DNA sequence: CTGTTAGCGCATTCAT
DNA sequence: ATGAATGCGCTAACAG
């Protein structure tokens, strides 16, 4: 065991310099690799450091270089694969860039804005998803540090990045329409978020392209319980439809299961489609037709964009990136009953 | 808009003190609430700070108080609901305790140990899950900062916290045995992790209690693809069993789907059970019998325990907490076909 | 190649 | 109730 008894305190750059018989500058150099150090002294420093189990203090370094080397990620919650994927992409790329990531989940927090402000005092830049802050609020925060709005409304004052919603929603809806479905219902509240608004916009566009009146959205939440409630209402005949376009897979799965439990056959009597391509989507029968989003890439690109902004002295004009999505046709739309694909997540 | 034009630089405690006509000590006091300040000056400081959009620099504060007010969480990956739940619990409680959290995902990282060491230089304490570090490696890291091993082998040199595995595995297995199944197979590699080892131990114990020989484990991975491969092998008759105890739900779901796709009826011909109670577990048909773990609580307790250790000067002897789990009986074990419950995740 | 020195921004005694 | 001064541990000129 190399770590010798530590005399109560953790080693600092001074103790290492002492032990190695060099100055702190040299110690700093061998650890930063910032300048060339004689091989012999280098080894002496390294072994001294190892002996003392030395580890540079992040805070001190941050203060000196006036950079935290930390990115912040603000998420509304962490349920479902969406946010996890995003976080993975974000963390992965950040790590490659030599940056750590602090995550804060706003759901259930008394004062999200305060939490975000506090976060911003310890990171170099922040990506924010959801967290019902209006554009003005974001813009305010963005004055302090680079800030990127994720899956929000593009075109605001702050830079944003989001997956494509309108076109894929239109494609999905058209698919249903093309196969003879005529009474579609959109499940989800367009006011609940920019992404849902976009999906409803595409839903509407497809209807208009077909010369059909656009059905009002069924404004419900995205939880399983909301799907259950809708299904119950549907069974009583409160709604009439031959296709249900659900704002996400959670909702679609809940609706699907409840309908089937009560003898409705999907897709024969009614088609059900969703969004996100969660794992369960390919395991249920009929397998769920849905829209796959490049969530991992979204996260990775976000930390990359943030990293770019760190170097730049002048903040360039707000960029608004839109990543392409992919409609995944399976069986729940009534389109195919061929053996479902099996692939890794 | 209160934020006045910032002269290029971000406000510091000095600029605020200047603007308010006080010393930096006073500014610090009003922000820390550490001492009583005259109401009038207090207001002056606050308005000056607001004017300048002042925000104390985390690194400087950390350096001064020699505390990061940050916890680290090391996860092998983020797929599935398990890690997300854990992270949510961890972050949630940490936040309540006034601590932020840095997460690092080891999967795909060239040098996980280095990443962890780097992490430890910016946090006050760390919880580690998986990351194939042996107990010695963990112990080594634990000399620097409080460290908690999650879902690892209890009893090591470092404090640990894990969900109960053995007893629930035994219960689950006994359940199968009691209902007449006699040829069970354990799918998963006990050497791949302490939790899987525990599950196999329970599986074994149940067999022994019934006076049966313990089948060798089928040592496969936990991915969908592993389940697919096993199912293919099973279909060719390479394995014979009337019940498959899968080390997690991913595996169970993949096996279930593949078997069904090829005409095997579950649970009639063969029962399939898993672990984790992922969302898909209640949506597939037959609904999956599985074991629910208190993952959220695990995370919350972890940050709580870590927080406790921060205050303590003397490191108390390594604690080993084991949280109870719950066997969730559904249909895939052949036990019931009653309408499955529907509840929030 | 290596040592000296001056901050980085804040919390915190110790005076007043 | 407030100010002055010191130090936290490290990096980065600047000398040598």
């Amino acid at each position: 065991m190399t770590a010798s008894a530590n005399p109560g305190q953790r080693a600092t750059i001074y103790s290492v310099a002492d032990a190695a018989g060099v100055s702190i500058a040299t110690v700093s150099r061998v650890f930063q690799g910032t300048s060339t150090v004689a091989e012999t002294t280098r080894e002496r420093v390294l072994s001294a450091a190892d002996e003392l189990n030395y580890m540079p203090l992040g805070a001190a370094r941050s203060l000196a270089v006036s950079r935290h080397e930390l990115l912040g990620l603000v998420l509304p919650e962490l349920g479902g694969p969406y946010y996890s994927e995003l976080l993975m992409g974000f963390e992965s790329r950040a790590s490659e860039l030599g940056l750590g990531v602090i995550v804060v989940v706003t759901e259930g927090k008394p004062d999200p804005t305060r939490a975000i402000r506090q976060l911003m005092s310890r990171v170099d830049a922040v990506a924010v998803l959801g967290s019902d802050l209006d554009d003005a609020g974001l813009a305010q925060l963005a004055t302090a540090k680079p800030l990127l709005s994720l899956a929000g409304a593009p075109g605001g004052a702050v830079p944003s990045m989001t997956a494509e919603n309108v076109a894929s929603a239109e494609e999905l809806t058209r698919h249903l329409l093309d196969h003879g479905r005529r009474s579609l219902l959109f499940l989800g509240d367009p006011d609940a978020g920019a992404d849902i608004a976009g999906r409803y916009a595409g839903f509407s566009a497809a209807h208009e392209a077909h010369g059909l009146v656009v059905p009002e959205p069924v404004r419900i939440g995205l939880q399983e319980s909301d799907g259950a409630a809708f299904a119950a209402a549907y069974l009583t005949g409160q709604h009439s439809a031959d296709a249900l376009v659900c704002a996400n897979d959670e909702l679609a799965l809940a609706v699907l299961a409840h309908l089937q439990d009560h003898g409705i056959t999907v897709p024969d009597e009614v088609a059900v489609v969703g969004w996100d391509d969660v794992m369960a989507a390919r395991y249920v029968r009929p397998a769920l037709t849905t829209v796959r989003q490049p969530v991992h890439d979204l996260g990775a690109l976000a930390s990359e964009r943030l990293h770019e902004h760190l170097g730049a002295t002048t903040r360039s004009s707000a960029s608004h990136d839109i990543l392409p999505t992919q409609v995944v046709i399976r069986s729940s739309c009534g389109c195919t009953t061929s053996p479902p694909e099996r692939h890794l997540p």
Side-chain angles (χ1 to χ4, degrees), chain A residues 181 242 244 249 252-261 263-274 277-290 328-342:
Chain A
R181 308 280 171 171
D242 57 13
L244 303 172
D249 282 352
L253 289 167
V255 168
L256 179 63
H258 279 265
L259 254 30
Q260 289 183 139
D261 284 348
I264 307 269
T265 62
V266 177
D268 297 350
E269 297 181 55
V270 58
V272 175
V273 299
D277 194 21
V278 304
M279 182 176 75
R282 37 183 199 290
Y283 283 126
V284 294
R285 292 295 178 273
L288 193 64
T289 288
T290 182
V328 180
I329 302 295
R330 287 199 270 246
S331 313
S332 70
C333 57
C335 188
T336 166
T337 324
S338 65
E341 88 277 34
R342 299 285 179 205

Side-chain angles (χ1 to χ4, degrees), chain A residues 76 82-83 129-130 150-154 161-169 186 188-203 222 246-248 275-276 293 298 325:
Chain A
Y82 185 93
Y83 299 111
L129 179 21
L150 259 32
M161 189 176 283
T162 176
E164 198 292 314
N165 278 305
V166 184
S168 55
F186 183 88
D189 185 356
D191 294 336
D195 43 1
I196 301 184
R199 291 164 198 180
Y200 183 63
F203 176 85
L222 299 174
C246 306
N248 77 354
W275 240 278
D276 288 351
Q293 307 192 52
L298 220 198
T325 54

Side-chain angles (χ1 to χ4, degrees), chain A residues 29-221:
Chain A
R29 286 184 187 110
V30 342
F31 271 82
Q32 299 309 316
T34 154
S35 170
T36 155
V37 177
E39 187 53 29
T40 58
T41 58
R42 169 191 181 71
E43 281 170 7
R44 231 166 352 123
V45 169
L46 249 22
S47 85
D50 184 54
E51 186 80 13
L52 273 53
N53 202 280
Y54 169 66
M55 192 184 301
L57 187 67
R61 175 182 161 77
S62 294
L63 185 55
V65 301
S66 60
R67 223 168 343 101
H68 295 277
E69 294 171 324
L70 237 30
L71 257 31
L73 180 58
V74 179
L75 261 25
E77 49 148 344
L78 236 36
Y82 185 93
Y83 299 111
S84 308
E85 268 295 309
L86 187 75
L87 172 52
M88 276 187 86
F90 192 81
E91 197 276 345
S92 167
R93 191 78 189 95
S95 170
E96 289 173 13
L97 297 168
L99 303 169
V101 5
I102 300 186
V103 344
V104 6
V105 180
T106 54
E107 179 179 84
K109 235 142 232 171
D111 187 352
T113 303
R114 218 186 74 81
I116 298 181
R117 287 185 62 84
Q118 185 174 343
L119 169 69
M120 294 189 79
S121 74
R122 17 186 44 151
V123 299
D124 298 317
V126 160
V128 179
L129 179 21
S131 339
D132 51 30
L133 288 165
D134 53 359
D135 198 61
L138 287 180
Q140 164 68 16
L141 289 173
T143 62
K145 304 252 172 104
L147 183 151
L148 184 57
S149 169
L150 259 32
V158 306
S160 70
M161 189 176 283
T162 176
E164 198 292 314
N165 278 305
V166 184
S168 55
E170 186 171 355
E171 179 183 343
L172 185 59
T173 306
R174 197 172 47 228
H175 179 78
L176 259 10
L177 257 17
D178 286 347
H179 285 277
R181 308 280 171 171
R182 273 299 170 275
S183 179
L184 316 200
L185 235 35
F186 183 88
L187 271 48
D189 185 356
D191 294 336
D195 43 1
I196 301 184
R199 291 164 198 180
Y200 183 63
F203 176 85
S204 302
H207 276 80
E208 286 164 359
H210 270 251
L212 299 171
V213 300
V214 181
E216 281 297 305
V218 181
R219 298 177 185 275
I220 60 178

